[in-house]
């Protein structure tokens, strides 16, 4: 057991020196340094979670687990437009600043989520009337204010989130930015974000690439078009709200395809559903946990297969099963994360550790 832990330590820290030491002293395990319990913070690329300030404040175990395991965090809600924009030119950064403060104290990076989305449109904006030019100005002004406020505090942004439908076409319904500005809203947003914070890495974030080649191709085509127009874009986010029936080859191919342009790749909202029928009396069994473990391993292996400088990292969409989006927000009994309601490592966590081993 001690040896196994030591090997994990070396793998997670990427410590060649330790592996050499281990190799040369095999058989005399009592000479080995006893490693501290290893966490995902020591992995070769960043791991993170979607965080909510209310749980940070009220739940010590949540706070401690996040600080122990994550080197990167994303705000699950408080950096979205309805959370920040209280009226035209009225901004409320208080909740988002709590996330920034927690990250600073715990030496974590913050990934901003999200500047432009078809959801979380504030009421004042829905009711706003104006010309196309007026809406372009609104968009640019909002991005300038928000990316400007967080300049130097976040390392990156999901600039545009979920602009495409499952069939790969542009999302029109509910998407006020497309309706008022047209497709150009995407590049306007990226240029405005770059102007406000030239050091931030700018991502396009999308769901479903791992379960649909059509979707994956559409995202990559959009990236090609943006690159062709010299739009400042540095990475692709694959949300990967996935499930235990996903095919490993398909999942890995989607990540590989996203990496093919040399951009950074973020598995940005990873969780693995096992209650596929959304049954209200669903029971998470050992078998579900083992299927889920495989998917966590594949996602980690997919990130490992990318060149090191393209591995932006893996972010889980939540911290523990107790407050997962799927359970708390959608009300579906499921246990989608690698940490249980009791804040323990699930088999999914072991799958990640296995995935981190260099092949
Ligand atoms: O998990 C998030 C939930 O708490 C929010 O209320 C909801 C609407 O803002 O968004 C959820 O997060 C979504 C993310 O921002 C974008 N990809 C899909 C996520 C799950 O719906």
């Amino acid at each position: 057991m001690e040896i196994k832990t030591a090997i994990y330590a070396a793998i997670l820290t990427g410590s060649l020196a330790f592996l050499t030491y281990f190799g040369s002293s095999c058989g005399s395990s009592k000479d080995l340094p006893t490693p501290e319990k290893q966490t995902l913070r020591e992995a070769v690329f960043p791991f993170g979670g979607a965080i909510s300030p209310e749980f940070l404040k009220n739940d010590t175990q949540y706070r401690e687990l996040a600080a122990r395991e994550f080197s990167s965090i994303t705000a699950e809600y408080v950096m979205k437009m309805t959370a920040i924009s209280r009226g035209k030119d009225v901004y409320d950064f208080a909740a988002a600043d709590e996330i920034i403060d927690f990250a600073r104290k715990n030496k974590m990076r913050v990934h901003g989520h999200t500047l432009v989305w078809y959801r979380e449109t504030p009421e004042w904006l829905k009711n706003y009337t104006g010309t196309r030019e007026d809406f372009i100005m609104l968009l640019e002004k909002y991005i300038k204010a928000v990316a400007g406020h967080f300049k130097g505090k976040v390392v990156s942004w999901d600039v545009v989130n979920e602009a495409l439908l499952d069939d790969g076409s542009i999302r029109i319904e509910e998407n006020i930015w497309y309706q008022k500005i047209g497709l150009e809203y995407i590049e306007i947003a990226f240029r405005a974000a770059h102007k406000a914070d030239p050091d931030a890495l700018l991502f396009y974030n999308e769901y479903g690439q791992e379960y649909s080649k059509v979707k994956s191709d559409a995202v990559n085509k959009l990236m090609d078009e943006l690159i062709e127009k010299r739009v400042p874009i540095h990475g692709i986010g694959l949300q990967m709200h996935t499930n235990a029936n996903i095919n490993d080859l398909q999942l890995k191919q989607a990540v590989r395809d996203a990496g093919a342009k040399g951009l950074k790749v973020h598995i940005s909202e990873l969780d693995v559903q096992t209650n596929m029928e959304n049954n209200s009396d669903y029971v998470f069994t050992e078998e579900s946990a083992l299927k889920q473990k495989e998917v966590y391993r594949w996602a980690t292996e997919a990130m490992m297969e990318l060149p090191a400088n393209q591995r932006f990292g893996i972010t889980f969409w939540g911290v523990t099963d107790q407050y997962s989006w799927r359970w708390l927000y959608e009300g579906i009994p499921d246990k989608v994360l690698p940490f249980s309601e009791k804040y323990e490592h699930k088999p999914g966590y072991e799958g990640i550790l296995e995935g981190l081993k260099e092949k």
Side-chain angles (χ1 to χ4, degrees):
M1 190 60 199
E2 212 180 313
I3 294 176
K4 193 174 157 207
T5 317
I7 294 172
Y8 274 151
I11 290 162
L12 286 173
T13 54
S15 164
L16 275 178
F18 181 74
L19 279 176
T20 311
Y21 172 74
F22 174 73
S24 65
S25 61
C26 209
S28 58
S29 63
K30 67 180 183 330
D31 293 333
L32 292 172
T34 312
E36 291 294 307
K37 199 164 189 284
Q38 296 298 308
T39 75
L40 298 180
R41 278 196 89 132
E42 289 86 47
V44 293
F45 58 78
F47 277 86
I51 296 282
S52 298
E54 69 266 31
F55 303 138
L56 279 184
K57 266 193 289 223
N58 301 327
D59 186 334
T60 314
Q61 279 180 294
Y62 175 98
R63 192 166 59 239
E64 287 176 355
L65 189 149
R68 191 171 64 242
E69 296 285 349
F70 300 155
S71 53
S72 177
I73 53 176
T74 303
E76 182 166 358
Y77 172 72
V78 296
M79 288 191 188
K80 291 173 181 170
M81 197 171 189
T82 40
I84 289 179
S85 176
R86 304 292 182 184
K88 189 167 179 296
D89 304 332
V90 185
Y91 305 98
D92 179 356
F93 294 114
D97 285 345
E98 289 178 34
I99 299 254
I100 300 284
D101 195 46
F102 174 71
R104 192 182 44 79
K105 286 190 182 128
N106 291 288
K107 298 187 170 44
M108 297 158 150
R109 76 175 183 196
V110 179
H111 172 70
H113 174 85
T114 172
L115 290 170
V116 185
W117 195 17
Y118 75 98
R119 291 176 64 188
E120 302 299 349
T121 309
E123 283 306 311
W124 72 263
L125 180 58
K126 285 184 188 163
N127 298 327
Y128 192 80
T129 50
T131 63
R132 178 174 186 268
E133 291 312 310
D134 292 334
F135 276 91
I136 292 177
M137 266 165 57
L138 277 182
L139 179 63
E140 289 179 333
K141 201 166 180 196
Y142 176 74
I143 292 175
K144 184 177 177 200
V146 178
H149 175 85
F150 293 111
K151 182 170 158 37
K153 296 174 182 163
V154 303
V155 301
S156 49
W157 275 107
D158 287 332
V159 178
V160 177
N161 190 37
E162 301 173 6
L164 299 174
L165 294 171
D166 284 357
D167 67 3
S169 64
I170 187 80
R171 181 186 295 279
I172 300 173
E173 208 181 321
E174 282 185 78
N175 188 355
I176 190 165
W177 301 114
Y178 182 84
Q179 291 170 10
K180 301 293 181 184
I181 300 174
L183 187 59
E184 207 189 345
Y185 88 90
I186 298 178
E187 61 176 282
I188 292 173
F190 275 93
R191 292 193 204 282
H194 185 61
K195 199 166 164 202
D197 185 355
D199 296 326
L201 295 170
L202 306 182
F203 283 75
Y204 174 74
N205 196 45
E206 191 53 90
Y207 69 89
Q209 294 99 315
E210 74 286 0
Y211 64 76
S212 159
K213 175 101 171 75
V214 171
K215 188 72 181 274
S216 171
D217 287 349
V219 173
N220 295 323
K221 183 167 165 280
L222 176 62
M223 296 303 103
D224 286 339
E225 288 161 7
L226 295 174
I227 293 166
E228 171 86 5
K229 289 184 187 161
R230 299 188 174 278
V231 173
I233 182 159
H234 311 107
I236 303 182
L238 299 94
Q239 296 183 2
M240 222 177 268
H241 293 285
T242 191
N243 67 62
N245 285 346
I246 193 78
N247 168 298
D248 61 333
L249 298 178
Q250 212 175 329
L251 184 155
K252 289 182 177 176
Q253 191 60 45
V255 174
R256 210 172 292 138
D257 288 347
K261 286 165 227 320
L263 297 177
K264 293 199 184 291
V265 178
H266 186 195
I267 297 183
S268 56
E269 306 185 13
L270 181 60
D271 54 20
V272 183
Q273 303 172 12
T274 59
N275 179 3
M276 247 72 78
E277 312 293 326
N278 297 345
N279 290 329
S280 54
D281 56 353
Y282 176 72
V283 179
F284 185 80
T285 60
E286 201 181 326
E287 194 195 343
S288 326
L290 292 176
K291 277 176 102 180
Q292 190 177 60
K293 172 183 175 182
E294 291 286 273
V295 183
Y296 274 109
R297 178 164 62 80
W298 298 333
T300 310
E301 285 170 352
M303 187 58 60
M304 287 297 279
E305 282 171 16
L306 293 170
N309 66 347
Q310 284 183 259
R311 298 175 193 151
F312 188 71
I314 294 184
T315 300
F316 310 119
W317 205 241
V319 176
T320 83
D321 283 336
Q322 194 182 357
Y323 309 127
S324 78
W325 151 73
R326 180 118 162 112
W327 170 231
L328 264 197
Y329 184 72
E330 293 215 309
I332 296 165
D334 207 345
K335 296 178 192 287
V336 295
L337 291 163
F339 303 99
S340 74
E341 303 100 320
K342 295 183 180 152
Y343 300 87
E344 292 159 350
H345 295 170
K346 290 164 62 188
Y349 187 92
E350 300 303 322
I352 293 163
L353 296 184
E354 287 172 18
L356 284 166
K357 294 177 193 172
E358 297 274 7
K359 295 262 153 49

